[in-house]
Amino acid sequence: MTMASLTNTSLLIFSCLLAVSLSVSGRPATFLEDFSVTWSDSHIRQIDGGRAIQLVLDQSSGCGFASTRQYLFGRVSMKIKLIPGDSAGTVTAFYMNSDTDTIRDELDFEFLGNRTGQPYTVQTNIYAHGKGDREQRVNLWFDPAADFHTYTIMWNHHHIVFYVDEVPIRVYKNNEARNIPYPKMQPMGVYSTLWEADDWATRGGLEKIDWSKAPFLAYYKDFDIEGCPVPGPANCATNAGNWWEGTAYQALNAMEARRYRWVRMNHMIYDYCTDKSRYPVTPLECMAGI
């Protein structure tokens, strides 16, 4: 191969890589690059030059932030250290939302506060085409207030997976062929909030918030969004070459499947799929498997 051919080949490869980098959003370096405060900026404090933030809940207010862009498919993750000690009645949420009033799509992590010494519960929920009420609850098998842990939402054309560190705790398959709604048309923003919800959050509202323990503090860092930004290149979301659409991400691998079953057998405390008082007929998506 001649030097000219090598140069042309190198330029072609560079052009392809550049095209991919422009169509897919990568990891933001600081909070201010990809997020903005949406609620009570006095209760969100930047740490380490914006690479981490502290969320504050007291009797005057909670707080929240959101991504400055929306995304259609991809992977979103954050490292979070939850409220230590007596956090009953508080909710720390990390979720994606289409921000549409009537036909909402939403993917939720909600961390439900606890009394000191009790396990932290994470509730997940999925809204697709405006229909939600798909709650599942898992007791975390570690203390999420002692250190940072990674919480991830993977969303592609094949399934949605919620991960705690590397452990999948929930899978929602794309079964549109069986007339089961699946979020794929509306881009979603990335949100987080810290708020008081003692009418339902801890033991169904039996445990109330103890304001003498305020302020309640949660910490976030390592914000990671890899997906198709909207507005952005029109063909990004349908590009089968996006890494999150690859074969390795179309279903759980063997190790992930074992971890998923372990969570469901040992740590799941509520599943709408088995709640006959709410759903006498099992919802179709509950029989789809992983």
Side-chain angles (χ1 to χ4, degrees), residues 135-166:
E135 300 91 347
Q136 294 182 353
R137 291 186 178 185
V138 168
N139 279 343
L140 294 174
W141 50 95
F142 54 87
D143 180 359
D147 204 350
F148 285 93
H149 290 266
T150 303
Y151 303 93
T152 302
I153 299 171
M154 169 68 80
W155 172 33
N156 61 31
H157 283 83
H158 304 275
H159 62 185
I160 296 160
V161 186
F162 293 78
Y163 289 91
V164 175
D165 293 323
E166 300 299 319

Short mmCIF file of all heavy atoms in Angstrom, two decimals, residues 135-166:
data_model
loop_
_atom_site.label_atom_id
_atom_site.label_comp_id
_atom_site.label_asym_id
_atom_site.label_seq_id
_atom_site.Cartn_x
_atom_site.Cartn_y
_atom_site.Cartn_z
N GLU A 135 -44.71 -0.57 39.63
CA GLU A 135 -43.72 -0.46 40.69
C GLU A 135 -43.14 -1.82 41.09
O GLU A 135 -43.86 -2.81 41.18
CB GLU A 135 -44.33 0.19 41.94
CG GLU A 135 -44.86 1.59 41.73
CD GLU A 135 -46.34 1.61 41.35
OE1 GLU A 135 -46.89 0.54 40.99
OE2 GLU A 135 -46.94 2.71 41.39
N GLN A 136 -41.84 -1.83 41.30
CA GLN A 136 -41.16 -2.93 41.95
C GLN A 136 -40.26 -2.35 43.03
O GLN A 136 -39.70 -1.26 42.86
CB GLN A 136 -40.33 -3.75 40.96
CG GLN A 136 -41.17 -4.50 39.93
CD GLN A 136 -40.33 -5.35 38.98
OE1 GLN A 136 -39.10 -5.30 39.00
NE2 GLN A 136 -40.99 -6.12 38.13
N ARG A 137 -40.12 -3.09 44.15
CA ARG A 137 -39.28 -2.60 45.25
C ARG A 137 -38.27 -3.68 45.64
O ARG A 137 -38.62 -4.86 45.76
CB ARG A 137 -40.13 -2.22 46.46
CG ARG A 137 -40.98 -0.99 46.23
CD ARG A 137 -41.70 -0.56 47.51
NE ARG A 137 -42.47 0.66 47.29
CZ ARG A 137 -43.13 1.32 48.24
NH1 ARG A 137 -43.10 0.88 49.49
NH2 ARG A 137 -43.81 2.41 47.95
N VAL A 138 -37.05 -3.22 45.86
CA VAL A 138 -35.94 -4.09 46.24
C VAL A 138 -35.24 -3.47 47.44
O VAL A 138 -34.96 -2.26 47.45
CB VAL A 138 -34.94 -4.24 45.07
CG1 VAL A 138 -33.64 -4.90 45.54
CG2 VAL A 138 -35.57 -5.04 43.93
N ASN A 139 -34.96 -4.29 48.46
CA ASN A 139 -34.13 -3.84 49.57
C ASN A 139 -32.67 -3.99 49.16
O ASN A 139 -32.23 -5.09 48.78
CB ASN A 139 -34.40 -4.67 50.83
CG ASN A 139 -35.64 -4.20 51.58
OD1 ASN A 139 -36.13 -3.10 51.36
ND2 ASN A 139 -36.14 -5.04 52.47
N LEU A 140 -31.93 -2.91 49.25
CA LEU A 140 -30.52 -2.97 48.88
C LEU A 140 -29.75 -3.83 49.86
O LEU A 140 -30.04 -3.84 51.07
CB LEU A 140 -29.93 -1.56 48.80
CG LEU A 140 -30.51 -0.68 47.68
CD1 LEU A 140 -29.99 0.75 47.77
CD2 LEU A 140 -30.20 -1.27 46.31
N TRP A 141 -28.76 -4.55 49.36
CA TRP A 141 -28.02 -5.55 50.14
C TRP A 141 -26.74 -4.96 50.74
O TRP A 141 -25.85 -5.68 51.19
CB TRP A 141 -27.69 -6.75 49.26
CG TRP A 141 -27.06 -6.37 47.95
CD1 TRP A 141 -25.73 -6.30 47.64
CD2 TRP A 141 -27.76 -5.99 46.76
NE1 TRP A 141 -25.56 -5.89 46.34
CE2 TRP A 141 -26.79 -5.70 45.77
CE3 TRP A 141 -29.11 -5.85 46.42
CZ2 TRP A 141 -27.12 -5.29 44.47
CZ3 TRP A 141 -29.43 -5.43 45.13
CH2 TRP A 141 -28.46 -5.16 44.18
N PHE A 142 -26.66 -3.64 50.76
CA PHE A 142 -25.51 -2.93 51.32
C PHE A 142 -26.03 -1.61 51.87
O PHE A 142 -27.20 -1.25 51.68
CB PHE A 142 -24.44 -2.68 50.24
CG PHE A 142 -24.98 -1.98 49.02
CD1 PHE A 142 -25.05 -0.59 48.96
CD2 PHE A 142 -25.45 -2.71 47.93
CE1 PHE A 142 -25.58 0.05 47.84
CE2 PHE A 142 -25.98 -2.08 46.81
CZ PHE A 142 -26.04 -0.68 46.76
N ASP A 143 -25.18 -0.87 52.56
CA ASP A 143 -25.55 0.44 53.07
C ASP A 143 -25.22 1.49 52.02
O ASP A 143 -24.05 1.84 51.83
CB ASP A 143 -24.79 0.73 54.37
CG ASP A 143 -25.16 2.10 54.95
OD1 ASP A 143 -25.98 2.82 54.34
OD2 ASP A 143 -24.60 2.45 56.01
N PRO A 144 -26.21 2.03 51.31
CA PRO A 144 -25.94 2.98 50.23
C PRO A 144 -25.59 4.38 50.71
O PRO A 144 -25.33 5.26 49.90
CB PRO A 144 -27.26 2.99 49.46
CG PRO A 144 -28.28 2.74 50.51
CD PRO A 144 -27.65 1.78 51.47
N ALA A 145 -25.60 4.58 52.04
CA ALA A 145 -25.20 5.87 52.60
C ALA A 145 -23.75 5.86 53.06
O ALA A 145 -23.20 6.92 53.38
CB ALA A 145 -26.11 6.22 53.77
N ALA A 146 -23.12 4.68 53.09
CA ALA A 146 -21.74 4.59 53.56
C ALA A 146 -20.74 5.01 52.50
O ALA A 146 -19.64 5.46 52.83
CB ALA A 146 -21.45 3.16 54.03
N ASP A 147 -21.10 4.85 51.21
CA ASP A 147 -20.19 5.17 50.13
C ASP A 147 -21.00 5.38 48.86
O ASP A 147 -22.21 5.14 48.82
CB ASP A 147 -19.17 4.04 49.94
CG ASP A 147 -17.89 4.51 49.27
OD1 ASP A 147 -17.86 5.68 48.79
OD2 ASP A 147 -16.93 3.73 49.21
N PHE A 148 -20.32 5.82 47.80
CA PHE A 148 -20.96 5.99 46.51
C PHE A 148 -21.17 4.63 45.84
O PHE A 148 -20.30 3.75 45.91
CB PHE A 148 -20.10 6.87 45.59
CG PHE A 148 -20.13 8.32 45.94
CD1 PHE A 148 -19.19 8.87 46.79
CD2 PHE A 148 -21.12 9.15 45.41
CE1 PHE A 148 -19.22 10.22 47.11
CE2 PHE A 148 -21.16 10.50 45.72
CZ PHE A 148 -20.21 11.04 46.57
N HIS A 149 -22.33 4.49 45.18
CA HIS A 149 -22.60 3.33 44.34
C HIS A 149 -23.17 3.84 43.02
O HIS A 149 -23.75 4.93 42.96
CB HIS A 149 -23.58 2.37 45.02
CG HIS A 149 -23.00 1.67 46.19
ND1 HIS A 149 -22.41 0.43 46.11
CD2 HIS A 149 -22.87 2.07 47.49
CE1 HIS A 149 -21.97 0.08 47.30
NE2 HIS A 149 -22.23 1.05 48.15
N THR A 150 -23.00 3.03 41.98
CA THR A 150 -23.40 3.45 40.63
C THR A 150 -24.79 2.92 40.30
O THR A 150 -25.05 1.71 40.42
CB THR A 150 -22.39 2.93 39.59
OG1 THR A 150 -21.08 3.40 39.93
CG2 THR A 150 -22.75 3.43 38.19
N TYR A 151 -25.66 3.82 39.87
CA TYR A 151 -27.02 3.47 39.48
C TYR A 151 -27.18 3.83 38.00
O TYR A 151 -26.89 4.96 37.59
CB TYR A 151 -28.03 4.22 40.35
CG TYR A 151 -27.81 3.92 41.82
CD1 TYR A 151 -27.01 4.76 42.61
CD2 TYR A 151 -28.34 2.78 42.41
CE1 TYR A 151 -26.77 4.47 43.94
CE2 TYR A 151 -28.12 2.49 43.74
CZ TYR A 151 -27.33 3.33 44.50
OH TYR A 151 -27.09 3.05 45.82
N THR A 152 -27.64 2.86 37.21
CA THR A 152 -27.60 2.98 35.76
C THR A 152 -28.94 2.60 35.14
O THR A 152 -29.59 1.64 35.57
CB THR A 152 -26.51 2.05 35.17
OG1 THR A 152 -25.25 2.40 35.75
CG2 THR A 152 -26.43 2.17 33.65
N ILE A 153 -29.33 3.36 34.12
CA ILE A 153 -30.47 2.99 33.27
C ILE A 153 -29.93 2.75 31.86
O ILE A 153 -29.35 3.64 31.25
CB ILE A 153 -31.54 4.10 33.24
CG1 ILE A 153 -32.10 4.35 34.65
CG2 ILE A 153 -32.67 3.73 32.27
CD1 ILE A 153 -33.01 5.57 34.73
N MET A 154 -30.10 1.52 31.37
CA MET A 154 -29.75 1.17 29.99
C MET A 154 -31.05 1.08 29.20
O MET A 154 -31.98 0.36 29.59
CB MET A 154 -29.01 -0.17 29.96
CG MET A 154 -28.85 -0.76 28.57
SD MET A 154 -27.75 0.16 27.50
CE MET A 154 -26.16 -0.43 28.12
N TRP A 155 -31.11 1.79 28.07
CA TRP A 155 -32.34 1.88 27.29
C TRP A 155 -31.99 1.75 25.82
O TRP A 155 -31.33 2.60 25.24
CB TRP A 155 -33.02 3.22 27.59
CG TRP A 155 -34.20 3.60 26.76
CD1 TRP A 155 -35.14 2.78 26.21
CD2 TRP A 155 -34.58 4.94 26.39
NE1 TRP A 155 -36.08 3.51 25.53
CE2 TRP A 155 -35.76 4.84 25.63
CE3 TRP A 155 -34.04 6.19 26.64
CZ2 TRP A 155 -36.41 5.96 25.11
CZ3 TRP A 155 -34.68 7.31 26.12
CH2 TRP A 155 -35.86 7.20 25.37
N ASN A 156 -32.40 0.65 25.22
CA ASN A 156 -32.20 0.48 23.78
C ASN A 156 -33.47 -0.06 23.14
O ASN A 156 -34.53 -0.10 23.79
CB ASN A 156 -30.97 -0.40 23.49
CG ASN A 156 -31.09 -1.80 24.06
OD1 ASN A 156 -32.19 -2.36 24.18
ND2 ASN A 156 -29.96 -2.40 24.43
N HIS A 157 -33.39 -0.45 21.88
CA HIS A 157 -34.59 -0.93 21.18
C HIS A 157 -35.06 -2.30 21.68
O HIS A 157 -36.18 -2.71 21.35
CB HIS A 157 -34.33 -1.01 19.67
CG HIS A 157 -34.36 0.32 18.98
ND1 HIS A 157 -33.28 1.17 18.95
CD2 HIS A 157 -35.35 0.96 18.29
CE1 HIS A 157 -33.60 2.26 18.27
NE2 HIS A 157 -34.84 2.16 17.86
N HIS A 158 -34.24 -2.99 22.46
CA HIS A 158 -34.55 -4.36 22.87
C HIS A 158 -35.09 -4.46 24.28
O HIS A 158 -35.99 -5.26 24.54
CB HIS A 158 -33.30 -5.23 22.73
CG HIS A 158 -32.72 -5.21 21.36
ND1 HIS A 158 -33.17 -6.04 20.36
CD2 HIS A 158 -31.75 -4.43 20.80
CE1 HIS A 158 -32.49 -5.79 19.24
NE2 HIS A 158 -31.63 -4.82 19.48
N HIS A 159 -34.55 -3.67 25.19
CA HIS A 159 -35.03 -3.72 26.57
C HIS A 159 -34.54 -2.49 27.34
O HIS A 159 -33.68 -1.72 26.89
CB HIS A 159 -34.60 -5.01 27.27
CG HIS A 159 -33.12 -5.21 27.40
ND1 HIS A 159 -32.56 -6.37 27.91
CD2 HIS A 159 -32.05 -4.42 27.08
CE1 HIS A 159 -31.24 -6.27 27.90
NE2 HIS A 159 -30.91 -5.11 27.41
N ILE A 160 -35.11 -2.34 28.55
CA ILE A 160 -34.67 -1.35 29.53
C ILE A 160 -34.16 -2.13 30.73
O ILE A 160 -34.85 -3.05 31.22
CB ILE A 160 -35.83 -0.42 29.93
CG1 ILE A 160 -36.30 0.39 28.73
CG2 ILE A 160 -35.42 0.49 31.08
CD1 ILE A 160 -37.70 0.96 28.90
N VAL A 161 -32.98 -1.79 31.22
CA VAL A 161 -32.41 -2.49 32.37
C VAL A 161 -32.00 -1.46 33.41
O VAL A 161 -31.32 -0.48 33.09
CB VAL A 161 -31.20 -3.36 31.98
CG1 VAL A 161 -30.73 -4.18 33.19
CG2 VAL A 161 -31.53 -4.28 30.82
N PHE A 162 -32.40 -1.69 34.65
CA PHE A 162 -31.96 -0.89 35.79
C PHE A 162 -30.85 -1.66 36.50
O PHE A 162 -31.03 -2.83 36.87
CB PHE A 162 -33.10 -0.66 36.77
CG PHE A 162 -34.22 0.20 36.24
CD1 PHE A 162 -35.18 -0.31 35.37
CD2 PHE A 162 -34.34 1.53 36.63
CE1 PHE A 162 -36.22 0.47 34.90
CE2 PHE A 162 -35.38 2.32 36.17
CZ PHE A 162 -36.32 1.79 35.30
N TYR A 163 -29.70 -1.01 36.69
CA TYR A 163 -28.56 -1.64 37.35
C TYR A 163 -28.23 -0.91 38.65
O TYR A 163 -28.28 0.32 38.73
CB TYR A 163 -27.30 -1.55 36.48
CG TYR A 163 -27.28 -2.43 35.25
CD1 TYR A 163 -27.75 -1.95 34.03
CD2 TYR A 163 -26.76 -3.72 35.30
CE1 TYR A 163 -27.70 -2.74 32.88
CE2 TYR A 163 -26.71 -4.52 34.16
CZ TYR A 163 -27.18 -4.02 32.96
OH TYR A 163 -27.12 -4.81 31.83
N VAL A 164 -27.85 -1.69 39.66
CA VAL A 164 -27.21 -1.17 40.87
C VAL A 164 -25.79 -1.71 40.85
O VAL A 164 -25.59 -2.92 40.95
CB VAL A 164 -27.95 -1.62 42.14
CG1 VAL A 164 -27.19 -1.18 43.38
CG2 VAL A 164 -29.38 -1.06 42.14
N ASP A 165 -24.82 -0.81 40.70
CA ASP A 165 -23.46 -1.21 40.38
C ASP A 165 -23.52 -2.07 39.11
O ASP A 165 -24.04 -1.63 38.11
CB ASP A 165 -22.78 -1.90 41.57
CG ASP A 165 -22.57 -0.91 42.73
OD1 ASP A 165 -22.25 0.27 42.46
OD2 ASP A 165 -22.74 -1.30 43.90
N GLU A 166 -23.05 -3.29 39.14
CA GLU A 166 -23.09 -4.14 37.94
C GLU A 166 -24.24 -5.16 38.00
O GLU A 166 -24.30 -6.08 37.18
CB GLU A 166 -21.76 -4.87 37.76
CG GLU A 166 -20.57 -3.97 37.60
CD GLU A 166 -20.68 -3.08 36.37
OE1 GLU A 166 -21.13 -3.57 35.31
OE2 GLU A 166 -20.33 -1.89 36.46
#
